[in-house]
């Protein structure tokens, strides 16, 4: 779970294959289904949302690529993918670099924004 710049709560709902969106009172505002099978969600200072997966979505959603999906927290638009990354944990630093913890490598890896 993470809050975006508007104060909405974004929740990774892995079992239902979506990111749910709530206001601060707990009212359901909607959901995004195009982030595959989310196990973690993070929003950076520029309102970019990162959605991680700890299981291959292709097993549940045939044809879906495995990795961390990126998009706009403003409207949910999907903008990118870091492929083949089985990450459980994501976060960013003040420069916008992404940190992910791939389970298969048991490391913390830094992805530099370019």
């Amino acid at each position: 779970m993470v809050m975006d710049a508007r104060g909405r709560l974004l929740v990774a709902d892995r079992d239902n294959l979506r990111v749910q969106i709530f206001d601060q009172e707990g009212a359901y505002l909607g959901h995004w289904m195009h982030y595959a099978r989310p196990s973690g969600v993070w929003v950076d200072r520029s309102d970019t949302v990162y959605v991680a997966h700890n299981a291959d979505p292709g097993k549940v959603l045939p044809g879906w690529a495995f990795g961390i999906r990126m998009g706009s927290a403003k409207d949910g638009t999907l903008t990118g993918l870091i492929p083949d990354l089985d990450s459980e944990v994501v976060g960013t630093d003040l420069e916008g670099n992404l940190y992910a913890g791939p389970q298969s490598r048991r490391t913390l890896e830094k992805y530099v924004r370019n």
Side-chain angles (χ1 to χ4, degrees):
M1 295 185 285
V2 68
M3 300 290 265
D4 69 4
R6 290 190 264 172
R8 300 178 304 169
L9 180 65
L10 306 180
V11 178
D13 183 1
R14 180 178 171 193
D15 289 339
N16 293 305
L17 308 174
R18 64 186 176 178
V19 173
Q20 295 188 72
I21 307 159
F22 299 91
D23 70 15
Q24 290 189 17
E25 304 301 317
Y28 177 77
L29 300 175
H31 64 271
W32 299 322
M33 298 289 291
H34 51 279
Y35 284 93
R37 193 168 190 216
S39 62
V41 60
W42 178 259
V43 177
D44 70 11
R45 293 174 48 185
S46 65
D47 237 14
T48 299
V49 63
Y50 300 88
V51 180
H53 310 273
N54 67 0
D56 187 347
K59 292 178 182 176
V60 177
L61 302 165
W64 281 70
F66 186 50
I68 294 178
R69 286 171 170 68
M70 298 167 282
S72 169
K74 295 174 184 164
D75 61 9
T77 305
L78 188 62
T79 60
L81 172 74
I82 300 174
D84 301 321
L85 189 61
D86 62 338
S87 177
E88 178 66 33
V89 178
V90 294
T92 54
D93 62 20
L94 295 176
E95 288 80 38
N97 300 310
L98 176 70
Y99 294 85
Q103 291 182 346
S104 63
R105 295 189 289 276
R106 296 183 184 186
T107 61
L108 181 64
E109 296 180 352
K110 178 180 179 180
Y111 293 84
V112 179
R113 179 173 289 229
N114 54 15

